């Protein structure tokens, strides 16, 4: 049974898929981070974002993040899904969910995963 779900897709991300993957009767907490496309950045209006990735390397890096989260935090499972392609305002480019016996581990794992993803995974966004 896998404890990680890693996905990069041009399809619309599915929060329920991530939630269903991590939920477990042994877990008292599920935490999630859902990134959305906002309509401005640094005071400039944004109409859409275009995400591109080097998928083989990005998938490998996302797996490393998930594996590290499992090692560092007392979590049961983690899902990290990222979109690629053109996304409109309020679309969802990233979903991270983590389950744990206790909420703090789930929260901490999500924070670690999104912060590390933004620093290390070769996913680029072009703002329009």
């Amino acid at each position: 049974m896998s404890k990680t779900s890693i996905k990069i897709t041009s399809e619309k991300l599915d929060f329920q898929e991530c939630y269903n993957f991590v939920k477990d009767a042994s877990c008292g907490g599920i935490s999630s981070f859902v990134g959305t496309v906002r309509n401005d950045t640094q005071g400039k209006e944004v109409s859409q974002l275009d995400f591109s990735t080097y998928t083989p390397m990005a998938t490998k890096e996302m797996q490393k993040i998930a594996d590290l989260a499992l090692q560092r935090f007392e979590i049961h499972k983690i899902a990290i899904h990222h979109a690629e392609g053109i996304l409109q305002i309020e679309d969802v480019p990233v979903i991270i969910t983590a389950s744990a016996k206790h909420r703090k581990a789930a929260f901490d794992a999500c924070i670690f995963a999104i912060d590390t993803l933004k620093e290390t995974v070769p996913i680029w966004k072009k703002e329009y």
Side-chain angles (χ1 to χ4, degrees), residues 38-114:
R38 64 179 182 268
N39 63 2
D40 72 82
T41 185
Q42 299 176 351
K44 294 181 182 177
E45 188 174 335
V46 173
S47 60
Q48 65 186 19
L49 296 179
D50 186 2
F51 287 90
S52 59
T53 180
Y54 177 57
T55 303
M57 183 181 232
T59 302
K60 185 184 283 188
E61 288 300 313
M62 288 165 65
Q63 185 65 56
K64 281 186 196 175
I65 293 167
D67 292 341
L68 276 171
L70 285 164
Q71 290 171 16
R72 291 184 183 182
F73 309 98
E74 292 183 26
I75 59 172
H76 180 67
K77 287 184 173 181
I78 186 167
I80 305 174
H81 292 191
H82 206 292
E84 61 183 357
I86 304 239
L87 279 78
Q88 304 302 318
I89 303 306
E90 296 184 356
D91 283 351
V92 175
V94 63
I95 299 172
I96 300 171
T97 57
S99 60
K101 191 168 273 202
H102 303 289
R103 67 183 175 270
K104 185 170 180 3
F107 280 125
D108 290 347
C110 282
I111 292 167
F112 167 79
I114 189 59

